[in-house]
Amino acid sequence: PFTLDSGKDLSVTVTLTTDSKYVCDSVTKGWVYGWQKRGWVKSDKKPALNPDLWGRLLDLLDIGILLPSYQHLEGQAAMTEALDAGKTAAMMSYILAHPDLSKADGSLKKKHAEELHETMGDEAQMQVLLNSLRNLGIFTDGEDGKRLVADWDKAERFAQLDSPHQKAYLCAANMGHLSRSSLYQSAQLLLDTLQCAAGNHYGREALLRLAFLLQQNASGADQPSATSGRFQRLIAGSPQDAAAFGEGSIAAALDAAISFGYVCKEGNDSEGESIYCVNPAFFDASMDRKQVLTDTVTIDAAFTFMILPGLSLKDLLPLIKFLDIVKYDKVLSFEISKKAAMRSFDLGLTAQSIRETIACYSSYPIPQNLEMSLDEWFGSYSSASLYKGYVLKVSGEKVSSKAISIGVG
């Protein structure tokens, strides 16, 4: 039998029907709420009929039952620092330098988990970010299945998104490999949910209920418009998701949002349930404004690059092609080494193009020893893919005009 408690079970869709225009108008036009406030007395001073039945119906229609909000919390916690573009770029740099950082099941190897703890401060958060970057197709398995390879086309298209959408897609991708439509729906639903929840305090289950209600409300909406097409094209070629879009994906997205600090624990209710609020940083799009890049980078004689905060992922991508993360903090610390430079040469960069990129971020002259090293590294660089990832490196001055015959026996 139907009860008030079963009406709150979100696994069951309840449709209330009536053949009475009076009942329908009383709810949709708000008359009944006025009667309730006046002690079940109508505006004409006559008593409203069936107040007990109206009370039971309004209980089902009261969103406060589904979404209880808390104002006074026990043990309020400090706002968690949110994952930003700098930390995302730092993790991408780490993956580029350590493409074999994960086990076959996708989890971080112990050595790299420890290094990430020292470098980034939260290896668990980096595990979630790694999963999302892989599920978005920004990093994919190499031919040997043991090393990750960057898809720079996808990375650059992702970096073109505004900051809130980047964050929403990273959270939505925590579910796994989703189809383009499911990824879009999950990301947009998370955006809508957090926008509606902003400024209030909710338990995790209440946030999922809010997402459910928004999803139901939008179930008949049209597909995304042409202006949103670039979001849908983001994951072109990804495998179709095994499970239909639904509660599981938004729950995984919400858990990622909590891990990334976009949804922060503020305390506990009287029963010990964790209560969350939306971090305003989730909607911060200040980094998306066109930046004056000059003087955002300083370089010392040890080839250490110090990058000031505030750059967008789009601004940082050109740098991480030839820089390795040293330490994530308020100021990002990177370094350039021969290994990192060789990796960038494989992407088509040259010593001159690296110099030109650096000049966009710093008005100071490049240290002379770095200039010399770049020229030396590029001068000695010559690679040819031979067979299943084996690479022959021959110094430029030793390459003769004669053809080099290589036998594979």
Side-chain angles (χ1 to χ4, degrees), residues 54 126-128 214 285 300 317 350 369 409:
W54 278 119
M126 292 303 98
Q127 176 70 73
V128 178
L214 291 171
D300 65 19
L317 277 189
T350 64
N369 59 341

Side-chain angles (χ1 to χ4, degrees), residues 30-89:
W31 302 340
V32 67
Y33 299 104
W35 305 342
Q36 187 182 41
K37 287 180 180 179
R38 291 190 294 269
W40 299 109
V41 176
K42 298 193 294 183
S43 59
D44 61 4
K45 309 301 182 184
K46 294 180 180 179
L49 301 178
N50 302 312
D52 56 332
L53 295 178
W54 278 119
R56 293 174 63 189
L57 178 60
L58 292 185
D59 281 342
L60 292 175
L61 300 176
D62 183 5
I63 197 169
I65 291 177
L66 293 176
L67 307 174
S69 179
Y70 301 85
Q71 298 302 326
H72 302 286
L73 306 174
E74 299 177 2
Q76 288 190 332
M79 189 72 73
T80 305
E81 183 179 354
L83 177 75
D84 60 9
K87 201 167 192 178
T88 301

Side-chain angles (χ1 to χ4, degrees), residues 25-304:
D25 287 347
S26 296
V27 173
T28 59
K29 296 183 179 181
W31 302 340
V32 67
Y33 299 104
W35 305 342
Q36 187 182 41
K37 287 180 180 179
R38 291 190 294 269
W40 299 109
V41 176
K42 298 193 294 183
S43 59
D44 61 4
K45 309 301 182 184
K46 294 180 180 179
L49 301 178
N50 302 312
D52 56 332
L53 295 178
W54 278 119
R56 293 174 63 189
L57 178 60
L58 292 185
D59 281 342
L60 292 175
L61 300 176
D62 183 5
I63 197 169
I65 291 177
L66 293 176
L67 307 174
S69 179
Y70 301 85
Q71 298 302 326
H72 302 286
L73 306 174
E74 299 177 2
Q76 288 190 332
M79 189 72 73
T80 305
E81 183 179 354
L83 177 75
D84 60 9
K87 201 167 192 178
T88 301
M91 182 58 181
M92 292 175 68
S93 172
Y94 188 88
I95 299 171
L96 293 169
H98 307 279
D100 60 346
L101 79 168
S102 59
K103 303 175 186 176
D105 63 359
S107 62
L108 290 166
K109 295 177 180 177
K110 182 179 179 180
K111 170 189 173 183
H112 295 293
E114 292 172 350
E115 287 184 0
L116 284 169
H117 178 77
E118 292 296 320
T119 303
M120 313 290 281
D122 187 349
E123 72 277 14
Q125 185 185 74
M126 292 303 98
Q127 176 70 73
V128 178
L129 179 57
L130 172 62
N131 295 343
S132 294
L133 291 171
R134 295 184 69 173
N135 290 333
L136 286 171
I138 293 174
F139 285 94
T140 58
D141 291 328
E143 290 184 2
D144 61 2
K146 298 179 180 179
R147 302 166 65 85
L148 295 180
V149 178
D151 185 326
W152 286 102
D153 181 56
K154 283 186 178 178
E156 288 164 5
R157 280 188 287 150
F158 178 77
Q160 292 292 328
L161 302 178
D162 61 67
S163 294
H165 275 91
Q166 287 180 21
K167 296 165 187 172
Y169 274 105
L170 285 173
C171 294
N174 188 45
M175 174 65 178
H177 288 286
L178 299 177
S179 67
R180 287 175 291 169
S181 61
S182 291
L183 179 66
Y184 174 87
Q185 290 178 60
S186 292
Q188 192 59 51
L189 181 56
L190 181 69
L191 276 169
D192 294 342
T193 301
L194 299 190
Q195 200 160 30
C196 288
N200 294 304
H201 301 86
Y202 294 114
R204 181 178 179 276
E205 292 306 313
L207 287 169
L208 292 177
R209 289 169 187 162
L210 175 57
F212 175 86
L213 294 174
L214 291 171
Q215 180 190 0
Q216 292 295 104
N217 186 57
S219 59
D222 295 333
Q223 289 297 311
S225 63
T227 58
S228 302
R230 62 195 180 114
F231 302 151
Q232 289 185 304
R233 293 194 299 271
L234 177 66
I235 312 299
S238 289
Q240 294 293 315
D241 49 304
F245 168 72
E247 185 179 347
S249 57
I250 191 59
L254 178 59
D255 289 339
I258 293 172
S259 175
F260 292 154
Y262 303 144
V263 175
C264 302
K265 181 178 177 180
E266 282 242 320
N268 297 52
D269 65 9
S270 58
E271 297 181 355
E273 181 186 2
S274 297
I275 303 302
Y276 299 93
C277 70
V278 178
N279 192 333
F282 180 80
F283 298 104
D284 182 12
S286 59
M287 292 181 182
D288 298 333
R289 295 193 293 269
K290 189 171 181 60
Q291 303 282 333
V292 178
L293 300 179
T294 308
D295 296 332
T296 55
V297 174
T298 59
I299 313 166
D300 65 19
F303 302 174
T304 300

